[in-house]
Amino acid sequence: MQFIDLKAQYAAHKTEIDNAVSDVLASTRFINGPEVKELEEQLAEYLGVSHALTCSSGTDALLLGLMALDLQPKDEVIVPTYTFISTAETIALLGGTPVFADIKADTFNIDPEQIETLITDRTVGIIPVSLFGQPADIDSIEQVATRHGLWVFEDAAQSFGAEYKGKKSGALTKIAATSFFPAKPLGCYGDGGAVFTYDKELAERITMIRNHGQRKKYDYARVGINGRLDTVQAAVLQVKLRHFDEEMEQKRRVAGWYAELLDGLVSVPPVLSHNKSVWAQYTVRSKQRDHLQQVLKERDIPTAVYYPKSLHEQDAFRSTASDGTLLPPPSCPVAEQASRECFSLPMHSFLQKADVEYVADVIQKGTHEQ
Ligand SMILES: *Cc1c(COP(=O)(O)O)cnc(C)c1O
């Protein structure tokens, strides 16, 4: 059994993908080929945003967004501690300070009540992450942000296609970032990402920054990066976007089977009634996590832990005393407990009910062993 089955997905769409890639190879328009612009139009329409700007990775999408928002050294940005490193790394790369908030125990997303307690006169924005495919509590976060004049920048790297109150993740905030890393909900065949925004000025800045800050050829208005998406990746994504909704439907069916068969054995992830998850991960919790992972491994069922350590516990973000020793990390008890109890099960659109029954059966036997 595969954790995420990219081989089956390629086999299912092989002719279309091979043709799309060969067309780019034959055209030799590897950088800024017409497929890139076409994809951007399709992405903007799919999400219902004004501007979709593709780029070299999800990490660069966050970086481009923060540069366009004009993040300054020493600015503070509030982020959930339970996320992938990029959410905080990009802030720190620009000289800013990521400030870590604890999460909600049910959704694993940032706790809006924590945000308010972390705001200082240096705070400029909030990056909520829509973790494992389920949107964060955007309305509550926007309310705090409005009260304090902060921007909100959704990290939708794991939630492309998810919905919050009938709107798509990526289109919930003034600006959002996503990743097209192969294993993400919409993945390409290498690195890729995109920034989405309603704001024309931000879109113009991002367009410039991702191409070295260039205004016209060899005329540089500001300092930028090489942050473009390759044409080959855009061609692959155009094919995958066409099949995206049908694959999501199947993943939602798989999640339904898991919820039914695992109930009472481990705690299954709740999806709030106003949300639709894209199931980037199917993450369950158990006090017997390590034991169950071992039992599943013995039966060739792959699992993974997202995340064994939260960001506030990482040395890269720990404060140091004047003698250089690391100070103890602040306390985020909900995230720390999640790190000890969570693990993710195989989740993709090629799983059949019999596969889910097999996983549930192994988990059931495993929970009774201890
Ligand atoms: C994957 C991921 C990123 C980074 O995306 P890359 O394309 O790998 O650079 C950022 N944030 C979150 C929450 C992610 O899961």
Side-chain angles (χ1 to χ4, degrees), residues 70-78 91-99 120-125:
D70 208 22
L71 188 83
Q72 293 296 311
K74 302 221 157 43
D75 282 352
E76 294 179 4
V77 180
I78 299 171
I91 299 163
L93 270 173
L94 296 173
T97 308
V99 175
T120 71
D121 54 11
R122 288 196 184 281
T123 311
V124 294

Side-chain angles (χ1 to χ4, degrees), residues 267-313:
S267 53
V268 297
V271 179
L272 305 183
S273 60
H274 56 254
N275 277 342
K276 260 192 177 179
S277 178
V278 276
W279 299 110
Q281 300 294 340
Y282 193 85
T283 304
V284 300
R285 306 173 75 120
S286 168
K287 303 261 184 231
Q288 309 180 52
R289 192 261 314 268
D290 296 349
H291 166 71
L292 290 178
Q293 272 199 295
Q294 186 55 38
V295 171
L296 288 158
K297 189 172 171 208
E298 283 160 13
R299 305 295 184 89
D300 286 325
I301 299 169
T303 62
V305 173
Y306 302 109
Y307 295 91
K309 221 172 165 189
S310 296
L311 298 187
H312 71 283
E313 302 173 282

Side-chain angles (χ1 to χ4, degrees), residues 335-364:
E336 286 158 29
Q337 191 176 351
S339 291
R340 291 190 296 270
E341 296 181 356
C342 283
F343 64 112
S344 304
L345 299 173
M347 174 46 96
H348 52 81
S349 57
F350 299 89
L351 286 172
Q352 300 300 317
K353 186 146 193 203
D355 300 316
V356 175
E357 284 167 348
Y358 177 57
V359 174
D361 194 49
V362 173
I363 290 179
Q364 178 171 23

Side-chain angles (χ1 to χ4, degrees), residues 39-59:
L39 173 69
E40 291 183 337
E41 282 162 13
Q42 290 156 3
L43 290 169
E45 190 188 321
Y46 182 81
L47 295 185
V49 290
S50 335
H51 309 275
L53 305 143
T54 56
C55 63
S56 37
S57 70
T59 306

Side-chain angles (χ1 to χ4, degrees), residues 142-158:
E142 289 279 8
Q143 276 167 25
V144 179
T146 306
R147 271 203 295 281
H148 296 272
L150 311 175
W151 46 253
V152 181
F153 180 4
E154 186 196 14
D155 180 342
Q158 300 184 13

